[in-house]
Amino acid sequence: MLPDPNLLIVDLRAETLRGAEPLSALLPNPSRAVSLAEIEEGQHGLTPADGPLILICERGVRSTLAARFLRADGLEATAFPGGVPALKKT
């Protein structure tokens, strides 16, 4: 199921993957690129004002971990199950 088009998508993929297949070609949502390392270190720059967050990575593993870290930081964060391949099937 596609996320609400108003929700911010956090793209955890490597820069090469983001460049090869931008999320803007797959979704109308606003998106922001953030690395898992930035999230783990608390250097992600995301705030509750960003609203509920949908995290996406290449396969769904990193986004699940990142969502846990962000929820521990007090943010509303959900991983998109299955990553980009699942997104392309919706």
Coordinates of all heavy atoms in Angstrom, one line a residue:
M1 N 0.8 -1.2 0.0 CA 0.0 0.0 0.0 C 0.9 1.3 0.0 O 1.9 1.3 0.7 CB -0.9 0.0 1.2 CG -1.8 1.1 1.3 SD -3.3 0.8 2.3 CE -3.0 1.7 3.7
L2 N 0.6 2.2 -0.8 CA 1.3 3.4 -0.9 C 1.1 4.3 0.3 O 0.0 4.4 0.8 CB 1.0 4.2 -2.2 CG 1.4 3.6 -3.5 CD1 0.8 4.4 -4.7 CD2 2.9 3.5 -3.6
P3 N 2.2 5.0 0.7 CA 2.0 5.9 1.9 C 1.2 7.1 1.5 O 1.2 7.5 0.3 CB 3.4 6.2 2.3 CG 4.3 6.0 1.1 CD 3.5 4.9 0.3
D4 N 0.6 7.7 2.5 CA -0.1 9.0 2.3 C 0.9 10.0 1.6 O 2.0 10.2 2.0 CB -0.5 9.5 3.7 CG -1.1 10.9 3.7 OD1 -0.8 11.7 2.8 OD2 -2.0 11.1 4.5
P5 N 0.4 10.6 0.5 CA 1.3 11.5 -0.3 C 1.8 12.7 0.5 O 2.7 13.4 0.0 CB 0.5 11.9 -1.5 CG -0.9 11.6 -1.2 CD -0.9 10.5 -0.1
N6 N 1.3 13.0 1.6 CA 1.7 14.2 2.4 C 2.8 13.8 3.4 O 3.4 14.7 4.0 CB 0.5 14.8 3.1 CG -0.5 15.3 2.2 OD1 -0.2 16.0 1.2 ND2 -1.7 14.9 2.3
L7 N 3.1 12.5 3.6 CA 4.1 12.1 4.6 C 5.5 12.2 4.0 O 5.7 12.0 2.9 CB 3.8 10.7 5.1 CG 2.5 10.4 5.8 CD1 2.4 9.0 6.2 CD2 2.3 11.3 7.0
L8 N 6.4 12.6 4.9 CA 7.8 12.7 4.5 C 8.4 11.3 4.4 O 8.3 10.5 5.3 CB 8.6 13.6 5.5 CG 10.1 13.7 5.2 CD1 10.3 14.5 4.0 CD2 10.8 14.4 6.4
I9 N 9.1 11.1 3.3 CA 9.8 9.8 3.1 C 11.2 10.0 3.4 O 11.8 11.0 2.9 CB 9.6 9.3 1.6 CG1 8.2 9.2 1.2 CG2 10.4 8.0 1.4 CD1 7.4 8.1 1.9
V10 N 11.8 9.2 4.2 CA 13.2 9.3 4.5 C 13.9 8.1 3.7 O 13.6 7.0 3.9 CB 13.5 9.1 6.0 CG1 15.0 9.1 6.3 CG2 12.8 10.2 6.8
D11 N 14.7 8.6 2.8 CA 15.4 7.6 1.9 C 16.8 7.3 2.5 O 17.7 8.1 2.6 CB 15.6 8.3 0.5 CG 16.1 7.4 -0.6 OD1 16.5 6.3 -0.3 OD2 16.0 7.8 -1.8
L12 N 16.9 6.0 2.9 CA 18.1 5.5 3.5 C 19.1 4.9 2.5 O 20.2 4.5 2.9 CB 17.8 4.5 4.6 CG 16.9 5.0 5.7 CD1 16.4 3.8 6.5 CD2 17.8 5.9 6.6
R13 N 18.8 4.9 1.2 CA 19.6 4.2 0.3 C 20.9 5.0 0.0 O 21.0 6.2 0.2 CB 18.9 4.1 -1.1 CG 17.6 3.2 -0.9 CD 16.9 3.1 -2.2 NE 16.4 4.5 -2.6 CZ 16.1 4.9 -3.8 NH1 16.3 4.0 -4.8 NH2 15.7 6.1 -4.1
A14 N 21.9 4.3 -0.5 CA 23.2 5.0 -0.8 C 22.9 6.0 -2.0 O 22.0 5.8 -2.8 CB 24.2 3.9 -1.3
E15 N 23.8 6.9 -2.0 CA 23.7 8.0 -3.0 C 23.6 7.5 -4.5 O 22.8 8.0 -5.3 CB 24.8 9.0 -2.9 CG 24.7 10.2 -3.8 CD 25.8 11.2 -3.6 OE1 26.6 11.1 -2.6 OE2 26.0 12.1 -4.5
T16 N 24.3 6.4 -4.8 CA 24.3 5.9 -6.1 C 22.9 5.3 -6.4 O 22.4 5.5 -7.6 CB 25.4 4.8 -6.3 OG1 25.2 3.8 -5.3 CG2 26.8 5.3 -6.3
L17 N 22.3 4.6 -5.5 CA 21.0 4.1 -5.7 C 19.9 5.2 -5.8 O 19.0 5.1 -6.6 CB 20.6 3.1 -4.6 CG 21.4 1.8 -4.6 CD1 21.1 1.0 -3.3 CD2 21.2 1.0 -5.8
R18 N 20.1 6.2 -5.0 CA 19.1 7.3 -5.0 C 19.2 8.0 -6.4 O 18.2 8.4 -7.0 CB 19.4 8.3 -3.9 CG 19.0 7.9 -2.5 CD 19.1 9.0 -1.5 NE 20.2 9.8 -1.6 CZ 21.3 9.7 -0.8 NH1 21.4 8.7 0.0 NH2 22.3 10.6 -1.0
G19 N 20.4 8.2 -6.9 CA 20.6 8.8 -8.2 C 20.1 8.0 -9.3 O 19.5 8.5 -10.3
A20 N 20.3 6.7 -9.2 CA 19.8 5.8 -10.3 C 18.3 5.6 -10.4 O 17.7 5.5 -11.4 CB 20.5 4.4 -10.1
E21 N 17.7 5.7 -9.2 CA 16.2 5.6 -9.1 C 15.7 6.5 -8.1 O 15.4 6.1 -7.0 CB 15.9 4.1 -8.8 CG 14.5 3.7 -9.0 CD 14.3 2.2 -9.1 OE1 14.9 1.5 -8.3 OE2 13.4 1.8 -9.8
P22 N 15.5 7.8 -8.4 CA 15.0 8.7 -7.4 C 13.6 8.3 -7.0 O 12.7 7.9 -7.8 CB 15.0 10.0 -8.2 CG 15.7 9.8 -9.4 CD 15.7 8.4 -9.7
L23 N 13.3 8.5 -5.7 CA 12.0 8.3 -5.2 C 10.9 9.2 -5.8 O 9.8 8.8 -5.9 CB 11.9 8.4 -3.7 CG 12.6 7.3 -2.9 CD1 12.5 7.6 -1.4 CD2 12.1 6.0 -3.2
S24 N 11.3 10.3 -6.3 CA 10.4 11.3 -6.9 C 9.8 10.7 -8.2 O 8.7 11.1 -8.6 CB 11.1 12.6 -7.2 OG 12.1 12.4 -8.1
A25 N 10.4 9.7 -8.8 CA 9.9 9.0 -9.9 C 8.9 7.9 -9.5 O 8.1 7.5 -10.4 CB 11.0 8.3 -10.7
L26 N 8.9 7.5 -8.3 CA 8.0 6.5 -7.8 C 6.8 7.0 -6.9 O 5.8 6.4 -6.8 CB 8.8 5.5 -7.0 CG 9.9 4.8 -7.7 CD1 10.7 3.9 -6.8 CD2 9.4 3.9 -8.9
L27 N 7.1 8.1 -6.2 CA 6.1 8.7 -5.3 C 6.0 10.2 -5.4 O 7.0 10.8 -5.7 CB 6.6 8.4 -3.8 CG 6.6 7.0 -3.3 CD1 7.3 6.9 -2.0 CD2 5.1 6.5 -3.2
P28 N 4.8 10.7 -5.1 CA 4.7 12.2 -5.1 C 5.2 12.8 -3.8 O 5.2 14.0 -3.6 CB 3.2 12.4 -5.3 CG 2.6 11.2 -4.6 CD 3.6 10.1 -4.9
N29 N 5.5 12.0 -2.8 CA 5.8 12.5 -1.4 C 7.1 13.3 -1.4 O 8.0 13.1 -2.2 CB 6.1 11.3 -0.5 CG 4.9 10.4 -0.3 OD1 4.4 9.9 -1.3 ND2 4.4 10.3 0.9
P30 N 7.2 14.3 -0.5 CA 8.5 14.9 -0.2 C 9.4 13.9 0.4 O 9.0 12.9 1.0 CB 8.1 16.0 0.8 CG 6.9 15.5 1.5 CD 6.1 14.7 0.4
S31 N 10.7 14.0 0.1 CA 11.6 13.0 0.6 C 12.9 13.7 1.1 O 13.2 14.8 0.6 CB 12.0 11.9 -0.4 OG 12.6 12.4 -1.5
R32 N 13.6 13.0 2.0 CA 14.9 13.5 2.5 C 15.8 12.4 2.6 O 15.5 11.3 3.1 CB 14.7 14.2 3.8 CG 15.9 14.9 4.3 CD 15.8 15.5 5.7 NE 14.6 16.5 5.6 CZ 14.1 17.0 6.7 NH1 14.5 16.7 7.9 NH2 13.1 17.9 6.6
A33 N 17.0 12.5 2.1 CA 18.1 11.5 2.2 C 18.8 11.6 3.5 O 19.3 12.7 3.9 CB 19.1 11.6 1.0
V34 N 18.8 10.5 4.3 CA 19.5 10.5 5.6 C 20.1 9.1 5.6 O 19.5 8.1 5.2 CB 18.5 10.6 6.7 CG1 19.2 10.5 8.1 CG2 17.7 12.0 6.6
S35 N 21.3 9.0 6.1 CA 22.0 7.7 6.3 C 21.6 7.0 7.6 O 21.3 7.7 8.6 CB 23.5 7.9 6.1 OG 24.0 8.5 7.3
L36 N 21.8 5.7 7.6 CA 21.5 5.0 8.8 C 22.5 5.4 9.9 O 22.2 5.6 11.1 CB 21.6 3.5 8.6 CG 21.4 2.6 9.8 CD1 20.1 2.8 10.4 CD2 21.6 1.1 9.4
A37 N 23.8 5.7 9.5 CA 24.8 6.1 10.5 C 24.3 7.5 11.1 O 24.5 7.6 12.3 CB 26.1 6.3 9.8
E38 N 23.8 8.4 10.3 CA 23.3 9.7 10.9 C 22.2 9.4 11.9 O 22.2 10.1 12.9 CB 22.9 10.6 9.8 CG 24.0 11.1 8.9 CD 23.5 11.9 7.7 OE1 22.5 11.4 7.1 OE2 24.1 12.9 7.3
I39 N 21.4 8.5 11.6 CA 20.3 8.2 12.5 C 20.8 7.5 13.8 O 20.4 7.9 14.9 CB 19.2 7.3 11.8 CG1 18.5 8.1 10.8 CG2 18.2 6.7 12.8 CD1 17.5 7.4 9.9
E40 N 21.7 6.6 13.6 CA 22.3 5.9 14.8 C 23.0 6.9 15.7 O 23.0 6.7 16.9 CB 23.3 4.8 14.4 CG 22.6 3.6 13.8 CD 23.6 2.6 13.2 OE1 24.6 3.0 12.7 OE2 23.3 1.4 13.4
E41 N 23.7 7.9 15.1 CA 24.4 8.8 15.9 C 23.6 10.0 16.4 O 24.1 10.9 17.0 CB 25.6 9.3 15.1 CG 26.6 8.2 14.7 CD 27.6 8.6 13.6 OE1 27.6 9.8 13.2 OE2 28.3 7.7 13.2
G42 N 22.3 10.0 16.0 CA 21.4 11.2 16.4 C 21.7 12.4 15.7 O 21.3 13.5 16.1
Q43 N 22.3 12.3 14.5 CA 22.7 13.5 13.7 C 21.8 13.6 12.4 O 22.2 14.1 11.4 CB 24.2 13.4 13.2 CG 25.1 13.2 14.4 CD 25.1 14.5 15.3 OE1 25.2 15.6 14.8 NE2 25.1 14.3 16.6
H44 N 20.6 13.1 12.5 CA 19.7 13.1 11.4 C 19.0 14.4 11.0 O 18.5 14.6 9.9 CB 18.7 11.9 11.6 CG 18.0 12.0 12.9 ND1 17.0 12.9 13.3 CD2 18.2 11.2 14.0 CE1 16.6 12.6 14.5 NE2 17.3 11.6 15.0
G45 N 18.8 15.3 12.0 CA 18.2 16.5 11.7 C 16.7 16.5 11.6 O 16.0 17.4 11.2
L46 N 16.1 15.3 11.9 CA 14.6 15.2 11.8 C 14.0 15.6 13.2 O 14.6 15.4 14.2 CB 14.3 13.7 11.5 CG 14.8 13.2 10.1 CD1 14.7 11.7 10.1 CD2 14.0 13.8 9.0
T47 N 12.8 16.2 13.1 CA 12.1 16.6 14.3 C 10.7 16.2 14.3 O 10.2 15.9 13.2 CB 12.2 18.2 14.4 OG1 11.4 18.7 13.4 CG2 13.6 18.7 14.3
P48 N 10.0 16.3 15.4 CA 8.5 16.0 15.4 C 7.8 16.9 14.4 O 6.7 16.5 13.9 CB 8.1 16.2 16.8 CG 9.3 16.0 17.6 CD 10.5 16.5 16.7
A49 N 8.3 18.1 14.1 CA 7.6 19.0 13.1 C 7.6 18.4 11.7 O 6.8 18.8 10.9 CB 8.3 20.3 13.1
D50 N 8.5 17.4 11.4 CA 8.5 16.8 10.1 C 7.3 15.8 10.0 O 7.0 15.3 8.9 CB 9.8 16.0 9.9 CG 11.0 16.9 9.8 OD1 10.9 17.9 9.1 OD2 12.0 16.6 10.4
G51 N 6.6 15.6 11.1 CA 5.4 14.8 11.0 C 5.7 13.3 11.0 O 6.9 12.9 11.2
P52 N 4.7 12.4 10.8 CA 5.0 11.0 10.7 C 6.0 10.8 9.5 O 5.9 11.4 8.5 CB 3.7 10.4 10.4 CG 2.7 11.4 10.9 CD 3.3 12.7 10.7
L53 N 6.9 9.9 9.8 CA 8.0 9.6 8.8 C 7.8 8.2 8.3 O 7.5 7.2 9.0 CB 9.4 9.7 9.4 CG 9.7 11.0 10.1 CD1 10.9 10.9 10.9 CD2 9.8 12.1 9.1
I54 N 8.0 8.0 7.0 CA 8.1 6.7 6.4 C 9.5 6.5 5.9 O 10.0 7.3 5.1 CB 7.1 6.6 5.1 CG1 5.7 6.9 5.5 CG2 7.2 5.2 4.5 CD1 5.0 6.0 6.5
L55 N 10.1 5.4 6.4 CA 11.5 5.1 6.0 C 11.6 4.1 4.9 O 10.8 3.1 5.0 CB 12.3 4.7 7.2 CG 12.6 5.8 8.2 CD1 11.4 6.1 9.1 CD2 13.8 5.5 9.0
I56 N 12.4 4.3 4.0 CA 12.6 3.3 2.9 C 14.0 3.1 2.6 O 14.8 4.0 2.6 CB 11.8 3.7 1.6 CG1 11.7 2.6 0.7 CG2 12.4 4.9 1.0 CD1 10.5 2.7 -0.3
C57 N 14.4 1.8 2.3 CA 15.7 1.5 1.9 C 15.6 0.5 0.8 O 14.5 0.4 0.2 CB 16.5 0.9 3.1 SG 15.9 -0.7 3.7
E58 N 16.7 -0.1 0.4 CA 16.7 -1.0 -0.8 C 15.9 -2.3 -0.5 O 15.2 -2.7 -1.4 CB 18.1 -1.3 -1.2 CG 18.2 -2.0 -2.5 CD 17.4 -1.4 -3.7 OE1 17.4 -0.1 -3.7 OE2 16.9 -2.1 -4.6
R59 N 15.9 -2.9 0.6 CA 15.2 -4.1 0.9 C 14.3 -4.1 2.1 O 13.5 -5.0 2.3 CB 16.2 -5.3 1.0 CG 17.0 -5.5 -0.2 CD 16.3 -6.3 -1.2 NE 17.1 -6.4 -2.4 CZ 16.6 -6.2 -3.7 NH1 15.4 -6.0 -3.8 NH2 17.4 -6.4 -4.7
G60 N 14.4 -3.1 3.0 CA 13.5 -3.1 4.1 C 14.2 -3.3 5.5 O 13.6 -3.1 6.5
V61 N 15.4 -3.8 5.4 CA 16.1 -4.2 6.7 C 16.6 -2.9 7.4 O 16.4 -2.7 8.6 CB 17.3 -5.1 6.4 CG1 18.1 -5.4 7.7 CG2 16.8 -6.4 5.7
R62 N 17.4 -2.0 6.7 CA 17.9 -0.8 7.3 C 16.7 0.1 7.8 O 16.8 0.8 8.8 CB 18.8 -0.1 6.4 CG 20.2 -0.7 6.4 CD 21.1 0.0 5.4 NE 20.6 -0.3 4.1 CZ 20.8 0.5 3.0 NH1 21.4 1.7 3.2 NH2 20.3 0.2 1.9
S63 N 15.7 0.2 7.0 CA 14.6 1.0 7.4 C 13.9 0.6 8.7 O 13.5 1.4 9.5 CB 13.5 1.2 6.2 OG 13.0 -0.1 5.9
T64 N 13.8 -0.7 8.9 CA 13.2 -1.2 10.1 C 14.1 -0.8 11.3 O 13.6 -0.4 12.3 CB 13.1 -2.8 10.0 OG1 12.2 -3.1 8.9 CG2 12.5 -3.4 11.3
L65 N 15.4 -1.0 11.2 CA 16.3 -0.6 12.3 C 16.3 0.9 12.5 O 16.2 1.4 13.6 CB 17.7 -1.1 11.9 CG 18.8 -0.7 12.9 CD1 18.5 -1.4 14.3 CD2 20.2 -1.2 12.4
A66 N 16.3 1.7 11.4 CA 16.3 3.1 11.5 C 15.0 3.6 12.2 O 15.0 4.6 13.0 CB 16.5 3.8 10.2
A67 N 13.9 3.0 11.9 CA 12.6 3.4 12.5 C 12.6 3.2 14.0 O 12.1 4.0 14.7 CB 11.4 2.6 11.9
R68 N 13.3 2.1 14.4 CA 13.4 1.9 15.9 C 14.2 3.0 16.5 O 13.9 3.5 17.6 CB 14.1 0.5 16.1 CG 13.2 -0.6 15.9 CD 13.9 -1.9 16.3 NE 13.3 -3.0 15.6 CZ 13.9 -4.1 15.2 NH1 15.2 -4.3 15.4 NH2 13.2 -5.1 14.7
F69 N 15.3 3.4 15.9 CA 16.2 4.4 16.5 C 15.4 5.8 16.5 O 15.4 6.5 17.5 CB 17.4 4.7 15.6 CG 18.5 3.7 15.9 CD1 18.9 2.8 15.0 CD2 19.2 3.8 17.1 CE1 19.9 1.9 15.2 CE2 20.3 2.9 17.4 CZ 20.6 1.9 16.4
L70 N 14.6 6.1 15.5 CA 13.9 7.3 15.4 C 12.8 7.3 16.5 O 12.5 8.4 17.1 CB 13.4 7.6 14.0 CG 14.5 7.9 13.0 CD1 13.9 8.0 11.6 CD2 15.2 9.2 13.4
R71 N 12.1 6.2 16.6 CA 11.0 6.1 17.7 C 11.7 6.3 19.0 O 11.1 7.0 19.9 CB 10.3 4.8 17.6 CG 9.3 4.8 16.4 CD 8.4 3.6 16.4 NE 9.0 2.3 16.4 CZ 9.3 1.6 15.4 NH1 9.0 2.1 14.1 NH2 9.9 0.4 15.5
A72 N 12.9 5.8 19.3 CA 13.6 6.0 20.5 C 13.9 7.5 20.7 O 14.0 7.9 21.9 CB 14.8 5.2 20.6
D73 N 14.1 8.2 19.6 CA 14.3 9.7 19.7 C 13.0 10.4 19.8 O 13.0 11.7 19.8 CB 15.0 10.1 18.4 CG 16.5 9.8 18.4 OD1 17.0 9.3 19.4 OD2 17.1 9.9 17.3
G74 N 11.9 9.7 19.9 CA 10.6 10.4 20.1 C 9.9 10.8 18.9 O 8.9 11.5 18.9
L75 N 10.3 10.3 17.7 CA 9.7 10.6 16.4 C 8.7 9.5 16.0 O 8.9 8.3 16.4 CB 10.7 10.8 15.4 CG 11.7 11.9 15.6 CD1 12.8 11.9 14.6 CD2 11.0 13.2 15.7
E76 N 7.7 9.8 15.3 CA 6.8 8.8 14.7 C 7.4 8.3 13.4 O 7.4 9.1 12.4 CB 5.4 9.5 14.5 CG 4.3 8.5 14.1 CD 3.0 9.1 14.0 OE1 2.7 10.2 14.5 OE2 2.1 8.5 13.3
A77 N 7.9 7.1 13.4 CA 8.6 6.6 12.2 C 8.1 5.1 11.9 O 8.0 4.3 12.9 CB 10.1 6.6 12.5
T78 N 7.9 4.9 10.7 CA 7.5 3.5 10.2 C 8.3 3.1 9.0 O 8.6 3.9 8.1 CB 6.0 3.6 9.8 OG1 5.2 4.1 10.9 CG2 5.5 2.2 9.4
A79 N 8.8 1.9 9.0 CA 9.5 1.4 7.9 C 8.5 0.9 6.8 O 7.5 0.4 7.1 CB 10.4 0.2 8.3
F80 N 8.9 1.2 5.5 CA 8.1 0.7 4.4 C 8.5 -0.8 4.2 O 9.7 -1.0 3.8 CB 8.3 1.5 3.1 CG 7.3 1.2 2.0 CD1 6.1 1.7 2.0 CD2 7.7 0.3 1.1 CE1 5.2 1.4 1.0 CE2 6.8 -0.1 0.1 CZ 5.5 0.5 0.0
P81 N 7.7 -1.7 4.4 CA 8.1 -3.1 4.3 C 8.5 -3.5 2.8 O 7.8 -3.2 1.9 CB 6.9 -3.9 4.7 CG 5.7 -3.0 4.7 CD 6.3 -1.6 4.7
G82 N 9.7 -4.2 2.8 CA 10.1 -4.7 1.5 C 10.9 -3.7 0.7 O 11.4 -4.0 -0.4
G83 N 11.1 -2.5 1.1 CA 11.9 -1.5 0.5 C 11.4 -1.0 -0.9 O 10.2 -1.2 -1.2
V84 N 12.3 -0.6 -1.7 CA 12.0 -0.1 -3.1 C 11.4 -1.1 -4.0 O 10.4 -0.8 -4.7 CB 13.2 0.6 -3.7 CG1 12.9 1.0 -5.2 CG2 13.6 1.8 -3.0
P85 N 11.8 -2.4 -3.9 CA 11.2 -3.4 -4.8 C 9.7 -3.5 -4.5 O 8.9 -3.7 -5.4 CB 12.0 -4.7 -4.5 CG 13.3 -4.2 -4.1 CD 13.0 -2.9 -3.3
A86 N 9.3 -3.5 -3.2 CA 7.9 -3.6 -2.8 C 7.2 -2.4 -3.2 O 6.0 -2.5 -3.7 CB 7.8 -3.8 -1.3
L87 N 7.8 -1.2 -3.1 CA 7.2 0.0 -3.5 C 6.8 0.0 -5.0 O 5.7 0.4 -5.4 CB 8.1 1.2 -3.2 CG 7.6 2.6 -3.7 CD1 6.3 2.9 -2.9 CD2 8.7 3.6 -3.4
K88 N 7.7 -0.6 -5.8 CA 7.5 -0.6 -7.3 C 6.4 -1.6 -7.6 O 5.8 -1.4 -8.7 CB 8.8 -1.0 -8.0 CG 9.8 0.1 -7.9 CD 11.1 0.0 -8.5 CE 11.6 -1.2 -9.2 NZ 13.0 -1.1 -9.6
K89 N 6.0 -2.5 -6.8 CA 5.0 -3.5 -7.0 C 3.6 -2.9 -6.7 O 2.6 -3.5 -7.1 CB 5.2 -4.8 -6.3 CG 6.4 -5.6 -6.8 CD 6.5 -6.8 -6.0 CE 7.8 -7.6 -6.4 NZ 8.0 -8.8 -5.6
T90 N 3.6 -1.8 -5.9 CA 2.3 -1.3 -5.5 C 1.6 -0.4 -6.6 O 2.2 0.0 -7.5 CB 2.4 -0.5 -4.2 OG1 3.3 0.6 -4.4 CG2 2.8 -1.3 -3.1

